[in-house]
Amino acid sequence: MVLFLLLASTLLGMLAGLLPVVGMQSEREANPRSDYQPPNLQPLPSPASSNCSQLTLKLEFSSEVVEHEYIVAFTGYFSEKARSLYISSALRGAGDKNLEWHIVPRENPASDFPSDFELVHIKQASSSSLLTLEDHPYIKRVTPQRKVFRTLKYIPSPEPAAPFQIVIDCSSCFSGLGHGTFVAGVIASMRECQGFAPDSELHIFRVFTNNQVSYTSWFLDAFNYAILKKIDVLNLSIGGPDFMDHPFVDKVWELTANKVIMVSAIGNDGPLYGTLNNPADQMDVIGVGGIDFEDNIARFSSRGMTTWELPGGYGRVKPDIVTYGSGVRGSGLKEGCRSLSGTSVASPVVAGAVTLLASTVLNRELVNPASMKQALIASARRLPGVNMFEQGHGKLDLIRAYQILNSYRPQASLSPSYIDLTECPYMWPYCSQPIYYGGMPTIVNVTILNGMGVTGRIVDKPIWQPYLPQNGDNIDVAVSYSPVLWPWAGYLAVSISVAKKAASWEGIAQGHVMVTVASPAENDSEVGGELTSTVKLPIKVKIVPTPPRSKRVLWDQYHNLRYPPGYFPRDNLRMKNDPLDWNGDHVHTNFRDMYQHLRSMGYFVEVLGAPLTCFDASQYGTLLMVDSEEEYFPEEITKLRRDIDNGLSLIIFSDWYNTSVMRKVKFYDENTRQWWMPDTGGANVPALNDLISVWGMAFSDGLYEGDFTLADHDMYYASGCSIARFPEDGIVIAKNLKDQGLEVLKQETAVVEGVPILGLYQTPSEGGGRIVLYGDSNCIDDSHRQKDCFWLLDALLQYTSYSMTPPSLSHSHSRVAPPVGAERPLPQRLEGNHLYRYSKVLEAHLGDPKPRPLPACPHLSWAKPQPLNETAPSNLWKHQKLLSVDLDKVALPNMKSYRPQVRPLSPGESGAWDIPGGIMPGRYNQEVGQTIPVFAFLGAMVVLSFFVVQLTKAKSKPKRRKPRIKRPTYLQQQTATAGKNPTV
Amino acid sequence: MMVAMMLRIYCWENFLRIDGLDWHLHFPKKSHAMMLVLRRLLRKRWVLGVVFGLSLIYFLTSTLKQEERSIRDRTLLEVKDSDHRIPWKVRFNLGNSSRQITQCRNSIQGKILLTDELGYVCERKDLLVNGCCNVNAPSTRQYICKSCLANGCCSIYEYCVSCCLQPDKQPLLERFLNRAAKGFQNLFTAVEDHFELCLAKCRTSSQSVQHENTYRNPQAKYCYGESPPELLPV
C-alpha cells in the first residue's frame, strides 16, 4: 500500500534587514502559536530567530608562560609508553635525585595514537636538567608551556552586520503538513538537520488556506510588509504559470528594487519543457531548479525557455542555478528530520546559502539582488551533458560564491555570458541546427545583470565586432535591448543571420558584441556621477550552405496562443488536472521531441513569429501549423493560397472545437473568483476552416478519442476533431473512434464508425503544393502524449516535400471516400467568446470583433560591423568570468568533501523517493464551486432511493444464502496465525 | 486580465510504503456467538442504511465546514468592524522647513524618480550623497501631486508619496489609520513616521486589485487616500 501525500503547504522565506522588529516581538506574547491567526501578515515566532543587532567583532590575543610546565618535542612519533621511557631516562641522566616531575596526562581520544610531544610538569627545574633533557637523542627540544588568551568583543556598530530572515508560511500550524517548518529548517535550523544560516532571523507568514488556495492580494500585502521591514532575502517556494498577473509581477519588481534578494522555486512540472513558473522566471529573481545527489537534474524540475517573449522573440535561459532538491533532509513537523523532494526544497537551499553569503560580506552596500545573482551564477559548477535550459549556469557552489562575492566590484554581467552556437549539449537547441543564409534569424535572449545600481542604461549602442581571421564578417548581428535596466536587470536580444556572401559557405564565424552599462553613482560626491561597466559577449556560430527548399520546414508560432492570459483549454480532455494549454507550443518547449525527430531526419526547422505574410514561401518546402488558436488576417489567407499554388506545402495538425464541450469545460476559479470560459477549443477550428475553405476542406466540430492502428503503428487519438470536407481526389483515412463529445456531455459511450481523421491532397495547379490535414495534435506534443506519431509526420513530410505518397496510407484499407460534409454544419465560433482580448488579429467592435489592420513585418536593423583583426579563444566559456575575480588562482578545497550526505533514515521514518511529474493540489481549483452541491445532491438521492427500495421490499423478505457464514470464520482462524495487522 | 494566479506548492511528501498488509479482521474465538449476532445485525439493511446515512451527514457537514472556512480565509482582508482602534505612534511631519537634516531616507525603488523624506521628488541623477534630493536641481519639486486624481490615487508612485507627505494630508491619514482593515494592522503598526506611512500607503496592495490578477485601475493605482482605486471594467 502506498500512502500518497501531496503537499499542501507553502512557504515564503525572507531574510530581513535591520530594523528592530518591535511589532513582531509584542505579537509574540500576544499570539501564541496555536491560536488561530489570519493567514497573512502574521509573523509567527520561530524557534530559529535570534535577536542580533548590528555588531562588529574585536579580536585580542595575549599569552603567558605556565609555571613548571614544559613541552617536550620528540624527533618522531612515539607511543605513550615510549615517550614516558625516554623522558625518565633523560631525567635520570641529569643526576638530580630530588627532581619532582610527572607527565601531564592527556584525556583526549587522540592520546591513544603515537605523538611527537609530551607535556611535563617539573618542579624547580634547573636549566641544566632541561638541557640534559634536550640531550636525549629522541628529544628535539624543550619549551615552556604557554597559555594563550583570545578575547572576542562585540561592539555595536552603525553598519548592518547580521542578516535577518523572514519565512512566510504557516500551513504547518493548521494543516499539520509542516512544509513551512521544513523550508524554515533548511534555511535556519539550529539543531537537528542543521540549516545554512542558524543565526538568521526568520519572519514567517502563511500564504495558503487549508485548501491550498492563495490570492495575489495576500502576496501584495505580505511583500509590502517585507519591504517596510527591510528584509534582506525572501524565499518563495511557490509559483504559478501566470506571468501576466501584473499586480504580482510588478510587486516582485518593486520588492527587488527595494534590495530584497528574491529566491524562488522554478516549478515541479518537468521533464516537460516550457514549464517555468513565475516569479522564478523573472530576470530579477534567482530561479532555482532541483538536482539529486548524483548531480542529475531532478525529473520534476521545470525547464525550457521562458515563454513571455513568444511569438516574436525567443525565451530567456532559466533556471538560473540548480541545487539539491531531491530527498533533501530538513526539520520535521514536531521533531527530528524528514526528507522532501521538489524545487520547493531546492529554493531554501539557495536562500540559506544566500543568507550565509550575505553575512560574510564586509561591505553590505555591495550586496544587492544583482550582485548576489552574479556571484551565484559565476561560481556555479556546470553539470556535464545537460543543456542550459535545464541547469542554467549549473550547480550552486557556496565556497566559490563566497570567494567571488568577497572580491566583488560593482559591474554588469551577462547571462549567458557568451553565445557559442556550436557547443553541444550545453547550448541546446542552438547547437542542434547550424545557421544558413536566408533562414529566420537565430535569436539569443541574453539577460544583463547590473550590480551597479537598481537602474541602469546601455550607453550609446552595443557594438558588433566581427573577427576577420575567423570569418566574423560572414554573419550579420542585430541587437535589441531594454531601454532602462530596471530593477537590476534587462534583456539584450541578439539576432544572428548569415550574410549573403556566405550563402554557399561552410564554416565557423566568430566575433563579439560590446555593451557598456551605466548606472547613477550613489556614493559619488559629485552629483550626476555615473558608474560604467563594459561587457563583451563573444559569439561563435556554425554556418552551412542554404539547404534545399524540400529540407526546410517552417513552424508557425504566430498563430499559437496560450495561457496566460486567456483560457485556452488543454488539447487532451482526459487530463483534468492540467486544464490549460500553457507550455508555449514552441518547437523548443512542448514540441521539443518533434523538433529533435525532424532534425534527426535531416530537416531544418525554422520558426515564424510573424504573420504568414512575412515569409518568403519559395524558401520552404512545408509550413507546419499545429494546434493553432489564433485567427487569420484576410491578407494571410490570400497569401497562403498564392504560396500553395506556387509550390509551398501545408501540414495542419488541428484539435477539437466543440461549443457545447467548451461550455462544459468552463470552471469557477477560486483564485480569481470568476467563471472561466474557454475562448477556443483545443484549436481554433472555425479560423482554420476559413483558411482552408478555398480548397474545399474543413474540420468538423466532432470530438473523438480512441486507440487504433495505422500502417502497423499503434496510435492514440486524444480529443481530436474529424475532417468534415475534403476534395474528392484526395486521400482520406478513416478510423473507428469513440465519440468523446457524447462522453463529456452526457457520460455515454458510443463508437463512431469511419471517422475521417487524415487527409492528403495535391493541389491541381502546375507545380502546386500539397495539403495534409490531421485532426489531433496530441501525438506530436510532448505534454500528455501517450503514443507518438513521428513516423506519420515523416511520411507526411515525405509527401509534402518530395511528393512521395506513402503507400501505407494511399493503399490503406482504412482509406475512404472524401467526405463532402453536407450532413453536418461546420463549427461556428462560440457566441460571446473573448478571443479578441488576447488575439493579435482581432479587435473589439460593436457586434462581432473585426480583424485589425495587418501589422508591418518585423524589421531588424543590422548593427554596423566594426571588424577586428583578432583571434578568439577556442573555448569561450572558460574566458567568461566576472571581472577582477580569478578563480583559478584561488586554492579550492576538494569539493567532494562538501557534498551533503544522505544519512540513513532514523527508525520510524519513511523512506524517500520522488514522485515523478508530481501533481500538485491547489494548482487549479476549478470545480470546487460545482462539485460540492453535486455531491450533496447525489448523496441525498442515494439515501432517498435506498429508503424507497427498502419500503418496497419490506413486505417480501429477501432470501439469504446461509452457507457463506462459515467461510469468513474459517478465514479468521487462518489469518489469526498469520498475525499481520496494519500498523499505520 | 482574467488570469488565475494558480500558485502551486513545489514539493511533496515522500510517502510511506507498507509491504504485505493484511486487512482481514481478526476476532478472538470466544466471541464467536456474539460475532454471529453482530454479523446478522450488519446484514440488516436498515442498519446499513443508518450507518450510511450517518456517514453521509458527517461527510456533508465536514465539507460544508471546510467551505465555510475557506470563505472565512479569503475574506480576512476585507474591511472589519470599524470600532477597532490601533494605538498609532506615527510622527507626522509638520512641514517645518527649518528642520536641519543631514541624512535623508528616500523611496529607493524608482526607475527614474525618487522621493526623499522631506517630500522632494527628483530624478536619480539629482540625488545627493546623503540620500536627499538636490533642491537646487531644476526638476526637483516638493509636495507635488502630479498625476494624482481627486480620489487620492496617482499613476506614479513617487508623486503619490510626495503628495501624501504634504502636511495637510495628516487628518486624512489619521482617519484612514483609524479605519484600516484588520489585515493591515501589522503593516501600519510597524510604521514609525509620516514618511514610512506614505511609502507603505502608496504601494499597491490587496485593495488595488480586482479578480486578484488585474488592477482596479491600471492607470492610477498608487493611492494615499482612504478609498481604493476607482474600479474600471475588465
Side-chain angles (χ1 to χ4, degrees):
Chain A
M1 188 201 161
V2 173
L3 203 71
F4 189 29
L5 282 182
L6 283 173
L7 100 69
S9 77
T10 263
L11 188 144
L12 232 183
M14 310 184 194
L15 244 182
L18 291 203
L19 287 186
V21 195
V22 182
M24 186 174 147
Q25 281 158 344
S26 62
E27 234 163 59
R28 284 181 189 171
E29 281 108 57
N31 294 329
R33 199 171 182 144
S34 54
D35 279 1
Y36 180 78
Q37 295 170 1
N40 54 314
L41 288 179
Q42 286 285 11
L44 286 162
S46 150
S49 65
S50 67
N51 227 355
C52 295
S53 57
Q54 312 105 41
L55 297 167
T56 48
L57 193 75
K58 210 170 168 189
L59 204 72
E60 277 171 8
F61 274 102
S62 66
S63 69
E64 61 179 55
V65 174
V66 182
E67 263 191 284
H68 312 309
E69 285 189 359
Y70 299 91
I71 298 168
V72 179
F74 296 93
T75 51
Y77 286 83
F78 303 104
S79 69
E80 198 181 343
K81 216 172 154 185
R83 292 191 315 257
S84 157
L85 210 70
Y86 296 149
I87 293 170
S88 53
S89 72
L91 288 175
R92 220 178 297 129
D96 190 346
K97 293 274 180 335
N98 300 325
L99 200 68
E100 264 185 63
W101 65 273
H102 66 93
I103 292 170
V104 179
R106 290 193 210 174
E107 276 159 6
N108 56 339
S111 59
D112 296 343
F113 297 98
S115 172
D116 65 344
F117 74 96
E118 194 70 273
L119 186 59
V120 187
H121 187 101
I122 308 172
K123 267 206 177 146
Q124 292 125 16
S126 59
S127 57
S128 65
S129 62
L130 292 177
L131 283 173
T132 48
L133 205 52
E134 270 190 346
D135 284 344
H136 193 276
Y138 290 124
I139 292 174
K140 204 160 51 178
R141 66 174 173 269
V142 179
T143 48
Q145 153 93 319
R146 294 179 87 88
K147 213 180 228 169
V148 176
F149 295 93
R150 199 179 65 160
T151 50
L152 288 173
K153 272 185 197 157
Y154 285 101
I155 300 161
S157 80
E159 285 298 305
F164 300 159
Q165 173 138 7
I166 291 195
V167 177
I168 297 190
D169 169 43
C170 202
S171 39
S172 55
C173 315
F174 313 106
S175 60
L177 283 156
H179 290 86
T181 313
F182 186 94
V183 173
V186 169
I187 294 170
S189 168
M190 285 201 284
R191 281 186 295 276
E192 292 163 308
C193 288
Q194 264 220 329
F196 280 84
D199 288 338
S200 57
E201 179 163 313
L202 299 177
H203 292 226
I204 301 172
F205 294 83
R206 185 188 183 197
V207 288
F208 271 88
T209 68
N210 289 350
N211 299 335
Q212 295 112 45
V213 182
S214 189
Y215 302 103
T216 296
S217 45
W218 290 8
F219 287 96
L220 300 184
D221 293 346
F223 290 173
N224 283 344
Y225 185 78
I227 294 171
L228 181 71
K229 283 291 176 188
K230 296 199 170 52
I231 274 149
D232 290 324
V233 180
L234 193 147
N235 175 61
L236 194 63
S237 286
I238 56 161
D242 188 3
F243 57 81
M244 286 178 123
D245 180 349
H246 293 295
F248 184 79
V249 171
D250 289 350
K251 188 56 78 181
V252 173
W253 285 339
E254 190 177 333
L255 199 71
T256 53
N258 281 282
K259 278 199 156 188
V260 179
I261 301 171
M262 181 131 174
V263 183
S264 186
I266 200 73
N268 287 346
D269 302 297
L272 185 63
Y273 273 56
T275 48
L276 301 179
N277 278 240
N278 181 262
D281 63 348
Q282 288 183 212
M283 289 190 272
D284 53 328
V285 175
I286 300 167
V288 185
I291 55 172
D292 63 16
F293 289 120
E294 274 77 54
D295 284 357
N296 304 308
I297 299 289
R299 198 181 140 76
F300 55 75
S301 187
S302 289
R303 58 197 78 187
M305 61 180 181
T306 59
T307 54
W308 299 36
E309 295 82 6
L310 298 179
Y314 195 83
R316 283 169 285 115
V317 175
K318 278 276 174 176
D320 294 302
I321 51 168
V322 290
T323 192
Y324 302 109
S326 193
V328 171
R329 295 177 64 80
S331 305
L333 181 55
K334 295 214 169 64
E335 56 183 352
C337 296
R338 71 200 290 199
S339 48
L340 275 182
S341 298
T343 49
S344 263
V345 177
S347 175
V349 169
V350 171
V354 163
T355 310
L356 199 56
L357 285 171
S359 70
T360 65
V361 180
L362 293 174
N363 183 2
R364 289 288 297 278
E365 288 282 301
L366 293 179
V367 179
N368 61 48
S371 64
M372 185 56 79
K373 191 169 168 175
Q374 287 175 325
L376 290 180
I377 66 182
S379 62
R381 289 193 174 252
R382 190 182 283 186
L383 305 176
V386 183
N387 77 48
M388 61 181 176
F389 289 103
E390 291 182 6
Q391 66 163 322
H393 292 267
K395 178 178 138 186
L396 169 73
D397 188 330
L398 186 55
I399 306 274
R400 297 213 304 179
Y402 163 77
Q403 287 159 344
I404 287 185
L405 205 60
N406 272 282
S407 52
Y408 180 80
R409 297 281 162 275
Q411 61 188 285
S413 71
L414 304 173
S415 158
S417 57
Y418 67 100
I419 300 173
D420 183 350
L421 303 193
T422 65
E423 186 187 5
C424 259
Y426 186 70
M427 285 272 171
W428 188 94
Y430 296 114
C431 65
S432 63
Q433 182 170 301
I435 62 170
Y436 43 82
Y437 174 68
M440 296 285 167
T442 296
I443 307 171
V444 184
N445 195 343
V446 179
T447 299
I448 307 170
L449 294 169
N450 176 18
M452 297 180 291
V454 62
T455 59
R457 64 185 173 91
I458 288 178
V459 182
D460 301 325
K461 270 186 178 169
I463 304 163
W464 159 235
Q465 297 186 303
Y467 299 153
L468 291 181
Q470 276 148 328
N471 311 300
D473 52 339
N474 283 342
I475 49 176
D476 291 326
V477 168
V479 182
S480 64
Y481 50 90
S482 309
V484 182
L485 310 178
W486 182 90
W488 309 104
Y491 70 85
L492 177 79
V494 182
S495 305
I496 306 166
S497 208
V498 176
K500 192 170 185 193
K501 67 172 183 175
S504 54
W505 184 78
E506 180 163 357
I508 306 277
Q510 296 197 54
H512 68 234
V513 171
M514 295 279 274
V515 192
T516 303
V517 177
S519 270
E522 274 163 29
N523 296 326
D524 206 329
S525 52
E526 181 196 340
V527 174
E530 273 193 325
L531 293 173
T532 57
S533 171
T534 302
V535 240
K536 195 156 88 172
L537 179 72
I539 294 174
K540 184 179 178 186
V541 296
K542 181 165 191 239
I543 299 174
V544 293
T546 308
R549 182 182 188 183
S550 56
K551 283 274 178 210
R552 293 174 67 179
V553 175
L554 189 64
W555 172 268
D556 175 29
Q557 187 67 38
Y558 190 75
H559 296 93
N560 286 344
L561 297 178
R562 45 83 167 97
Y563 171 87
Y567 174 17
F568 295 100
R570 60 193 177 268
D571 302 327
N572 181 347
L573 284 169
R574 289 232 173 274
M575 298 299 147
K576 293 207 167 153
N577 59 330
D578 192 9
L580 300 166
D581 195 355
W582 66 288
N583 304 125
D585 287 346
H586 190 275
V587 286
H588 299 152
T589 61
N590 54 322
F591 286 92
R592 179 176 177 262
D593 289 353
M594 184 211 74
Y595 167 76
Q596 288 290 77
H597 181 81
L598 290 184
R599 282 299 301 138
S600 68
M601 299 307 290
Y603 291 99
F604 290 82
V605 185
E606 292 170 41
V607 176
L608 176 68
L612 297 179
T613 48
C614 297
F615 76 102
D616 175 9
S618 66
Q619 296 287 315
Y620 300 93
T622 307
L623 175 66
L624 199 51
M625 301 179 81
V626 179
D627 185 24
S628 314
E629 287 91 356
E630 181 64 284
E631 296 281 335
Y632 301 87
F633 292 106
E635 295 88 342
E636 288 184 295
I637 297 175
T638 332
K639 196 228 176 200
L640 186 66
R641 190 182 167 186
R642 208 168 51 236
D643 288 345
I644 287 185
D645 284 344
N646 292 328
L648 178 75
S649 291
L650 174 67
I651 298 181
I652 296 179
F653 280 77
S654 180
D655 222 298
W656 65 275
Y657 191 99
N658 181 300
T659 49
S660 310
V661 173
M662 283 160 68
R663 286 196 190 92
K664 182 82 183 174
V665 297
K666 76 171 182 182
F667 63 83
Y668 184 77
D669 176 38
E670 275 283 295
N671 293 114
T672 54
R673 303 169 199 182
Q674 61 188 342
W675 281 94
W676 274 49
M677 177 76 98
D679 297 308
T680 69
N684 192 347
V685 169
L688 279 172
N689 284 349
D690 289 350
L691 189 72
I692 57 178
S693 62
V694 66
W695 298 286
M697 298 175 184
F699 289 106
S700 77
D701 66 351
L703 175 49
Y704 303 97
E705 183 250 342
D707 292 292
F708 60 93
T709 316
L710 183 59
D712 297 333
H713 289 88
D714 284 335
M715 299 276 286
Y716 176 64
Y717 210 69
S719 311
C721 66
S722 67
I723 295 170
R725 284 178 198 163
F726 210 73
E728 57 182 6
D729 48 343
I731 300 166
V732 171
I733 305 288
K735 288 289 170 185
N736 297 347
L737 295 169
K738 272 182 272 181
D739 187 339
Q740 199 182 15
L742 207 62
E743 195 184 320
V744 171
L745 297 171
K746 297 187 178 135
Q747 283 75 45
E748 290 168 19
T749 317
V751 173
V752 184
E753 306 243 322
V755 180
I757 53 171
L758 176 66
L760 291 84
Y761 177 64
Q762 167 72 58
T763 54
S765 60
E766 178 70 34
R770 287 152 292 280
I771 300 173
V772 176
L773 304 184
Y774 187 68
D776 180 34
S777 67
N778 202 258
C779 65
I780 53 171
D781 187 344
D782 297 353
S783 60
H784 309 307
R785 186 179 57 225
Q786 298 187 352
K787 287 166 192 157
D788 75 64
C789 61
F790 298 140
W791 69 271
L792 178 67
L793 188 60
D794 286 344
L796 300 180
L797 279 170
Q798 283 283 316
Y799 176 69
T800 55
S801 299
Y802 302 103
S803 190
M804 283 161 58
T805 313
S808 58
L809 298 178
S810 58
H811 297 101
S812 168
H813 55 262
S814 305
R815 188 171 168 179
V816 294
V820 287
E823 71 273 13
R824 233 169 128 176
L826 293 178
Q828 295 302 311
R829 289 173 179 84
L830 179 68
E831 292 253 339
N833 75 71
H834 296 134
L835 185 64
Y836 64 88
R837 288 179 184 166
Y838 318 112
S839 169
K840 300 177 285 292
V841 176
L842 297 181
E843 64 184 348
H845 263 271
L846 283 176
D848 284 339
K850 297 268 185 304
R852 295 166 198 267
L854 183 72
C857 290
H859 174 72
L860 289 172
S861 56
W862 302 109
K864 192 166 174 277
Q866 297 184 8
L868 284 181
N869 201 4
E870 205 173 282
T871 307
S874 56
N875 187 341
L876 301 179
W877 173 39
K878 294 274 181 215
H879 292 263
Q880 288 298 311
K881 289 292 172 195
L882 288 183
L883 300 174
S884 79
V885 179
D886 191 358
L887 272 183
D888 300 335
K889 287 187 187 152
V890 184
L892 286 173
N894 180 14
M895 296 318 288
K896 281 251 161 71
S897 61
Y898 285 86
R899 281 171 71 139
Q901 290 166 350
V902 193
R903 274 170 285 175
L905 296 176
S906 53
E909 245 185 317
S910 60
W913 66 90
D914 291 339
I915 308 160
I919 304 153
M920 277 149 297
R923 200 168 134 185
Y924 305 112
N925 301 284
Q926 81 270 42
E927 289 148 19
V928 169
Q930 284 173 308
T931 47
I932 288 166
V934 169
F935 268 117
F937 179 72
L938 278 177
M941 288 312 289
V942 168
V943 172
L944 197 71
S945 56
F946 170 78
F947 282 109
V948 167
V949 170
Q950 192 67 13
L951 271 175
T952 51
K953 286 197 176 172
K955 285 160 196 169
S956 57
K957 273 196 174 179
K959 284 176 189 172
R960 285 176 192 161
R961 286 174 296 162
K962 284 190 176 170
R964 280 192 60 193
I965 297 170
K966 283 200 172 171
R967 254 184 72 211
T969 335
Y970 168 67
L971 252 179
Q972 283 157 24
Q973 284 166 340
Q974 242 194 348
T975 53
T977 52
K980 272 183 197 159
N981 284 314
T983 50
V984 185
Chain B
M1 44 157 309
M2 271 246 286
V3 196
M5 183 58 208
M6 294 194 184
L7 293 159
R8 315 162 186 187
I9 306 158
Y10 284 150
C11 62
W12 50 73
E13 184 79 36
N14 291 302
F15 42 89
L16 272 167
R17 186 164 68 177
I18 302 158
D19 289 318
L21 275 193
D22 201 337
W23 286 95
H24 295 292
L25 291 171
H26 163 58
F27 294 98
K29 277 183 191 172
K30 266 191 265 175
S31 56
H32 248 189
M34 199 191 78
M35 262 284 314
L36 287 179
V37 172
L38 194 72
R39 194 163 283 279
R40 289 231 177 91
L41 202 64
L42 279 173
R43 291 269 168 107
K44 293 255 195 283
R45 292 197 176 187
W46 65 269
V47 177
L48 291 174
V50 166
V51 170
F52 178 76
L54 287 175
S55 21
L56 187 75
I57 289 165
Y58 173 75
F59 166 76
L60 288 179
T61 48
S62 60
T63 44
L64 285 178
K65 203 189 266 171
Q66 216 171 25
E67 179 76 338
E68 203 174 272
R69 198 189 295 151
S70 70
I71 288 169
R72 193 177 51 184
D73 280 348
R74 83 154 86 112
T75 50
L76 275 167
L77 278 180
E78 279 144 35
V79 182
K80 287 278 165 69
D81 50 329
S82 57
D83 54 52
H84 183 89
R85 301 253 163 182
I86 312 164
W88 301 107
K89 51 180 189 327
V90 176
R91 296 187 306 270
F92 278 99
N93 172 10
L94 296 171
N96 214 345
S97 56
S98 65
R99 196 178 92 190
Q100 285 302 310
I101 195 155
T102 49
Q103 286 285 323
C104 290
R105 289 165 295 161
N106 61 48
S107 60
I108 304 168
Q109 65 184 60
K111 203 177 207 168
I112 297 146
L113 297 174
L114 284 173
T115 307
D116 71 11
E117 63 180 303
L118 299 175
Y120 288 98
V121 180
C122 59
E123 289 180 31
R124 270 195 178 271
K125 65 175 172 57
D126 297 327
L127 194 71
L128 301 174
V129 189
N130 62 4
C132 304
C133 282
N134 179 6
V135 293
N136 301 322
S139 59
T140 304
R141 297 273 181 285
Q142 193 182 23
Y143 303 141
I144 181 171
C145 294
K146 203 165 138 185
S147 85
C148 297
L149 307 175
N151 66 355
C153 291
C154 318
S155 41
I156 294 165
Y157 176 73
E158 283 73 20
Y159 291 134
C160 175
V161 177
S162 178
C163 194
C164 168
L165 282 169
Q166 284 182 349
D168 64 350
K169 295 289 187 295
Q170 184 185 350
L172 176 79
L173 291 168
E174 275 177 344
R175 208 160 57 234
F176 162 79
L177 287 177
N178 291 332
R179 296 184 46 244
K182 208 173 170 231
F184 289 109
Q185 251 190 68
N186 284 296
L187 183 66
F188 291 116
T189 42
V191 163
E192 297 266 318
D193 63 3
H194 195 170
F195 180 62
E196 282 190 1
L197 175 63
C198 287
L199 282 181
K201 183 65 194 76
C202 280
R203 297 190 195 283
T204 56
S205 70
S206 53
Q207 304 298 298
S208 317
V209 294
Q210 59 174 322
H211 298 304
E212 296 294 325
N213 58 7
T214 331
Y215 286 116
R216 289 167 67 94
N217 180 350
Q219 266 71 53
K221 49 183 178 281
Y222 307 110
C223 303
Y224 61 82
E226 289 174 282
S227 49
E230 186 194 356
L231 184 64
L232 297 184
V234 171

